[in-house]
Amino acid sequence: KVTPERVRFYLFDRFLTYPFRLGEVLGGVGPFKATSLIASWLSDRAHFSGRAESDMNYEEWLRARFGRGVTDLVFRPLVEKTWGVPLHELHWRLARQRIAVGSLREVMAQIITGKRSKLFQSQFYPYGTFLYPQKGYGTIPERMADAIVKAGGQITTSAQVEKLIVRDGRVRSVVYRRDGAEETVEGDHVISTLPVSIFADMLSPEKPDADLDAARQAAPALRFRKLILVYLVVNKPQVYPYGVAFFPGKEFRFGRTWEQKNFSPGMAPGNQTVFGAEITCWETDPLWKAEDKDIFEMIIPQLERCNLIRRSEVAECFTVRLGYVYPVWDTHFERNLSIVEKYVSRVENLIINGRPGLFFYNNLHHSLEMGFLSADHVLSGKPKAEQWERDALRFREYRLVE
């Protein structure tokens, strides 16, 4: 289903259209603040002139392109809320991948013209829209599973992988536990989307290996942020007319909200809607193990403040908690990731893939392409270094379109 983007940012106690519009922005910041932001941009642009991207961190990358004023107003609170570390401890590559506009000048051009760059255009659907399955993204893996079973394949669920037996440079078998019993399966190829931070400890070679020892030491430093998806069943047809809204402000514990019914009417009954909010945290945060009712009590005053939902309108609240969602690209992540990849590259029939497996931050369509390319490699019969490792290079050039 072709769906309008309808993205908003909650800034200056109001919802601003994104891409930003000149009248809305000026109405929010005022002429004096706008002048200050432009002056900050010009100052930082001169300060960082001549600095290579590779010599910067996330904060410096932002200031060089948007100035300290815009960085502190919009980017810093949202980024630090999402990744849980100070802006200067994050890698510049994360900024380049996530932020699809290259400078304040480009933002101003979009504000004035109302048009976004070609990066946001696709041959598959009209400008300002995206594709959304009528019954939600879950239908994609469901259809894939149906096709696998129909073709004679087998899918095992509710099983925990415990180790991969490596012999003579190949994974010979995978050991997993299901219903309390240990089981083993063999295969010609293994494609793993297990989180890279815990994956190295599951590899079981025939004899001690220095590269694997180094990988096991480096892997825990590749950290993931947890994600709590808060779902509110609301007794009204619609909360807001947007698809997604971002909340940079520190006064909001969530960073993004969405209403899937606005993507596709089939996602909720006509007289009700489901409103979602995303909260990132660490595993050690009390919030990660908090009861649903406590999370509801935390966010409902924040939603009421925005005049979105009243407590009396909520029929039900529940959460879904995901353990390995946002890879934290700190300033050392490339070094640690390369140490893990060094050992994996020696195991010919082993591919690490997907967002948690490759420690990449990407969109859904990127993940689908990763799957297609890994399947192409397996079917080709070519050595991993000849095809897969070459194709995987493109993953680092993915740009998020938000």
Side-chain angles (χ1 to χ4, degrees):
K1 182 181 183 296
V2 177
T3 303
E5 285 183 326
R6 293 180 294 198
V7 177
R8 297 295 186 272
F9 272 73
Y10 192 82
L11 292 166
F12 320 117
D13 295 322
R14 68 194 73 182
F15 285 100
L16 302 184
T17 305
Y18 186 80
F20 297 124
R21 295 175 180 174
L22 182 60
E24 291 182 358
V25 173
L26 289 178
V29 302
F32 295 107
K33 182 66 172 178
T35 301
S36 173
L37 294 177
I38 293 174
S40 170
W41 168 55
L42 292 173
S43 174
D44 275 346
R45 185 183 179 198
H47 176 75
F48 290 101
S49 177
R51 287 271 302 273
E53 284 184 327
S54 56
D55 294 331
M56 297 182 182
N57 56 42
Y58 199 125
E59 180 175 358
E60 292 167 334
W61 191 96
L62 287 174
R63 288 182 55 190
R65 287 156 180 78
F66 302 97
R68 181 189 291 273
V70 173
T71 296
D72 291 344
L73 178 68
V74 180
F75 293 111
R76 185 186 303 278
L78 186 58
V79 172
E80 292 185 350
K81 182 190 304 185
T82 302
W83 274 273
V85 296
L87 204 58
H88 67 270
E89 293 182 12
L90 293 170
H91 202 282
W92 69 269
R93 283 190 177 276
L94 180 60
R96 180 183 179 275
Q97 185 189 43
R98 183 171 172 81
I99 301 171
V101 288
S103 67
L104 185 59
R105 175 186 294 174
E106 189 174 337
V107 173
M108 293 168 64
Q110 291 184 12
I111 290 174
I112 295 171
T113 64
K115 296 181 179 180
R116 304 167 84 179
S117 66
K118 292 183 178 180
L119 178 64
F120 294 86
Q121 300 177 19
S122 170
Q123 59 178 321
F124 302 110
Y125 43 88
Y127 171 80
T129 66
F130 65 98
L131 298 179
Y132 189 83
Q134 293 190 21
K135 295 296 183 181
Y137 284 128
T139 57
I140 296 177
E142 287 172 358
R143 295 287 177 84
M144 288 181 173
D146 291 342
I148 290 170
V149 173
K150 187 176 180 179
Q154 179 180 340
I155 300 175
T156 300
T157 59
S158 301
Q160 180 173 326
V161 175
E162 295 190 336
K163 56 185 174 181
L164 288 76
I165 307 301
V166 180
R167 298 291 184 268
D168 301 321
R170 300 181 67 86
V171 176
R172 299 300 178 180
S173 60
V174 176
V175 180
Y176 63 94
R177 187 168 297 276
R178 183 175 58 169
D179 297 330
E182 186 177 276
E183 300 185 36
T184 301
V185 62
E186 298 179 351
D188 297 323
H189 296 268
V190 174
I191 301 175
S192 171
T193 59
L194 291 164
V196 67
S197 55
I198 62 175
F199 178 68
D201 278 337
M202 297 182 181
L203 296 168
S204 179
E206 187 175 16
K207 55 186 177 181
D209 189 288
D211 286 345
L212 180 55
D213 290 341
R216 287 171 173 165
Q217 290 182 358
L222 299 170
R223 299 180 296 166
F224 289 87
R225 286 281 269 176
K226 311 293 184 182
L227 179 64
I228 303 174
L229 301 177
V230 186
Y231 292 90
L232 302 176
V233 180
V234 185
N235 287 327
K236 59 181 179 181
Q238 187 179 59
V239 172
Y240 57 26
Y242 326 126
V244 173
F246 292 89
F247 291 78
K250 292 182 178 179
E251 65 270 28
F252 301 104
R253 187 59 182 84
F254 47 87
R256 177 165 58 181
T257 63
W258 73 96
E259 191 169 356
Q260 288 167 293
K261 190 177 182 180
N262 296 337
F263 301 153
S264 174
M267 296 300 293
N271 62 341
Q272 286 185 314
T273 188
V274 176
F275 187 80
E278 298 182 6
I279 301 174
T280 57
C281 64
W282 297 112
E283 186 175 7
T284 54
D285 291 342
L287 192 62
W288 178 243
K289 295 182 179 180
E291 299 288 339
D292 287 359
K293 61 181 178 60
D294 295 326
I295 294 177
F296 172 76
E297 291 298 333
M298 179 186 68
I299 72 167
I300 192 63
Q302 300 170 16
L303 295 171
E304 289 179 323
R305 172 180 175 174
C306 306
N307 296 315
L308 288 176
I309 300 173
R310 295 194 302 270
R311 178 187 296 268
S312 60
E313 295 173 328
V314 179
E316 183 183 356
C317 173
F318 61 93
T319 66
V320 175
R321 309 187 190 209
L322 306 173
Y324 299 90
V325 178
Y326 286 98
V328 181
W329 283 14
D330 58 28
T331 52
H332 305 294
F333 94 94
E334 286 186 312
R335 180 188 64 198
N336 291 315
L337 185 58
S338 67
I339 293 172
V340 178
E341 290 175 333
K342 180 181 179 181
Y343 176 78
V344 172
S345 67
R346 292 171 42 201
V347 184
E348 180 58 37
N349 66 335
L350 173 62
I351 289 176
I352 53 174
N353 203 1
R355 188 163 171 165
L358 285 171
F359 203 66
F360 284 172
Y361 182 58
N362 53 269
N363 287 134
L364 174 63
H365 59 282
H366 297 140
S367 294
L368 292 173
E369 183 182 37
M370 289 175 172
F372 295 147
L373 289 174
S374 61
D376 288 343
H377 166 69
V378 169
L379 294 173
S380 74
K382 295 180 180 178
K384 188 161 65 171
E386 183 177 330
Q387 178 158 335
W388 169 250
E389 292 179 2
R390 180 202 64 201
D391 288 341
L393 291 175
R394 77 175 69 177
F395 302 159
R396 292 192 180 275
E397 302 306 315
Y398 283 155
R399 302 290 297 277
L400 270 69
V401 180
E402 295 185 323

